């Protein structure tokens, strides 16, 4: 019999009463395992965020990791960054995530990361050179997304960048079905059972609301971003970069 591993995501292994997905203590305690087995390319995306942030961070500016969870992107940025006098603001509305991140920060030797438990629709963005929304906007209510992206644009310095990763949907139903199936196959290969996949899908239904790539491009362009394009995509997961 295999031993119980408390850091492994087994939240949906048993038949459970349906309820919306929450970023609570149960999720935070298995989050590293959950996200790396649930998003194809997650580790590459994190490490490339570090590379891009280092290229575009500006002396004396702020870097924001909005919806930071356990701070993977913030740590990758801190590791790569040679730019002086910059602070990385790691913000998440889940107290369970932020408490765990704060524990990590106590021993990580990364004083440039400042964590905060807050709703990203309420926080101020100022003097930013790099803003990261790594799989976060999809959880923000749709009605609040335009204002959030506009606020990010206003808070960026000229030449600053926004990196935004999202689960996406496709306008073409054939492609949508194919990529969704390929994604579920990926999850099975990562060790999730059909029941886990189906229960998680139900729990996320009203919580994670994906949009099309065109929808994202339009919002970014409307907010004022000039150069916008996809730099990573695998199935129905994509990451874009947008320049102010
Ligand atoms: C990573 N970026 O590992 N305000 C603040 N935080 C929020 C809000 C909000 N309004 N809505 C959702 N969140 C991370 C992964 S996970 C993605 C991001 C996933 C937070 C929520 O609490 C959670 O921690 C995070 O956004 C989404 O690079 O689980 O698929």
């Amino acid at each position: 019999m295999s031993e119980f591993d408390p850091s492994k995501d087994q939240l949906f292994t048993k038949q459970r009463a349906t309820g919306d997905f929450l970023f609570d203590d149960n999720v935070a305690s298995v989050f590293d395992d959950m996200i790396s087995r649930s998003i194809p390319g997650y580790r590459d995306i994190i490490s490339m965020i570090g590379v891009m942030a280092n290229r575009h961070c500006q002396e004396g500016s702020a870097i924001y990791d909005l919806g930071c969870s356990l701070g993977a992107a913030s740590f990758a940025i801190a590791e790569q960054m040679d730019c002086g006098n910059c602070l990385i603001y790691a913000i998440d509305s889940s107290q369970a995530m932020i408490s765990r991140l704060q524990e990590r920060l106590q021993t990580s030797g990364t004083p440039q990361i400042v964590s905060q438990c807050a709703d990203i629709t309420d926080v101020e963005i100022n003097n930013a050179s790099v803003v990261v929304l790594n799989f976060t906007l999809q959880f923000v209510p749709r009605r609040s997304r335009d204002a959030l992206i506009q606020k990010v644009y206003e808070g960026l310095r000229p030449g600053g960048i926004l990196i935004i990763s999202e689960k996406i949907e496709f306008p073409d139903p054939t492609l949508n079905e194919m990529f969704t199936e390929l994604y579920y196959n990926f999850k099975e290969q990562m060790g999730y059972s059909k029941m886990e996949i189906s229960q998680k899908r139900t729990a996320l239904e009203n919580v994670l609301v994906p949009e099309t790539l065109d929808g994202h491009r339009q919002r970014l362009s409307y907010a004022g971003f000039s150069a916008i394009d996809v730099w990573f995509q695998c199935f129905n997961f994509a990451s874009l970069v947008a320049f102010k």
Side-chain angles (χ1 to χ4, degrees), residues 3-37:
E3 271 180 45
F4 176 71
D5 174 357
S7 66
K8 184 164 187 225
D9 171 22
Q10 300 180 325
L11 298 180
F12 292 90
T13 46
K14 301 220 171 70
Q15 191 85 42
R16 42 170 259 163
T18 47
D20 281 348
F21 186 85
L22 288 173
F23 289 99
D24 59 11
D25 213 50
N26 292 329
V27 168
S29 66
V30 297
F31 189 73
D32 285 331
D33 178 61
M34 171 185 282
I35 195 148
S36 48
R37 289 199 291 137

Side-chain angles (χ1 to χ4, degrees), residues 9-241:
D9 171 22
Q10 300 180 325
L11 298 180
F12 292 90
T13 46
K14 301 220 171 70
Q15 191 85 42
R16 42 170 259 163
T18 47
D20 281 348
F21 186 85
L22 288 173
F23 289 99
D24 59 11
D25 213 50
N26 292 329
V27 168
S29 66
V30 297
F31 189 73
D32 285 331
D33 178 61
M34 171 185 282
I35 195 148
S36 48
R37 289 199 291 137
S38 302
I39 298 185
Y42 173 75
R43 289 191 193 287
D44 289 331
I45 295 170
I46 289 291
S47 101
M48 293 308 144
I49 287 175
V51 172
M52 284 196 279
N54 184 39
R55 188 185 163 99
H56 294 283
C57 73
Q58 301 174 17
E59 246 354 85
S61 67
I63 294 172
Y64 290 85
D65 180 7
L66 302 177
C68 61
S69 299
L70 301 178
S74 294
F75 285 113
I77 295 169
E79 224 167 76
Q80 300 268 350
M81 196 168 65
D82 339 284
C83 176
N85 200 17
C86 288
L87 282 181
I88 304 166
Y89 294 98
I91 303 168
D92 202 289
S93 55
S94 158
Q95 186 56 58
M97 294 289 190
I98 291 295
S99 299
R100 278 182 169 72
L101 170 58
Q102 278 166 352
E103 279 168 27
R104 290 182 182 188
L105 288 173
Q106 274 167 19
T107 54
S108 63
T110 44
Q112 64 276 46
I113 303 179
V114 179
S115 66
Q116 188 189 349
C117 185
D119 191 311
I120 56 172
T121 60
D122 294 332
V123 298
E124 281 187 22
I125 311 279
N126 288 316
N127 188 33
S129 59
V130 178
V131 176
V132 176
L133 274 164
N134 200 37
F135 301 106
T136 304
L137 190 68
Q138 58 196 15
F139 293 107
V140 171
R142 271 185 93 138
R143 63 177 180 282
S144 308
R145 292 181 189 178
D146 291 356
L148 173 59
I149 295 297
Q150 191 65 55
K151 176 173 74 176
V152 167
Y153 179 81
E154 306 298 341
L156 274 165
R157 288 184 178 182
I161 58 165
L162 166 64
I163 299 169
I164 171 168
S165 313
E166 288 276 293
K167 186 172 189 181
I168 50 166
E169 61 175 20
F170 296 83
D172 182 293
T174 307
L175 287 176
N176 211 41
E177 197 184 315
M178 181 189 77
F179 284 126
T180 306
E181 275 173 22
L182 286 169
Y183 173 54
Y184 292 147
N185 292 345
F186 162 84
K187 285 195 82 171
E188 281 191 68
Q189 277 166 11
M190 297 309 275
Y192 286 111
S193 68
K194 285 197 167 32
M195 184 172 81
E196 285 176 283
I197 295 169
S198 138
Q199 294 203 114
K200 175 111 182 253
R201 188 184 61 203
T202 308
L204 280 173
E205 220 140 64
N206 306 311
V207 181
L208 190 171
V209 182
E211 293 174 275
T212 61
L213 272 176
D214 267 357
H216 287 295
R217 282 184 212 275
Q218 273 169 29
R219 177 180 294 115
L220 292 165
S221 152
Y222 187 78
F225 286 97
S226 53
I228 303 159
D229 221 327
V230 173
W231 64 272
F232 181 95
Q233 185 173 347
C234 182
F235 306 146
N236 45 352
F237 291 84
S239 189
L240 298 105
V241 63

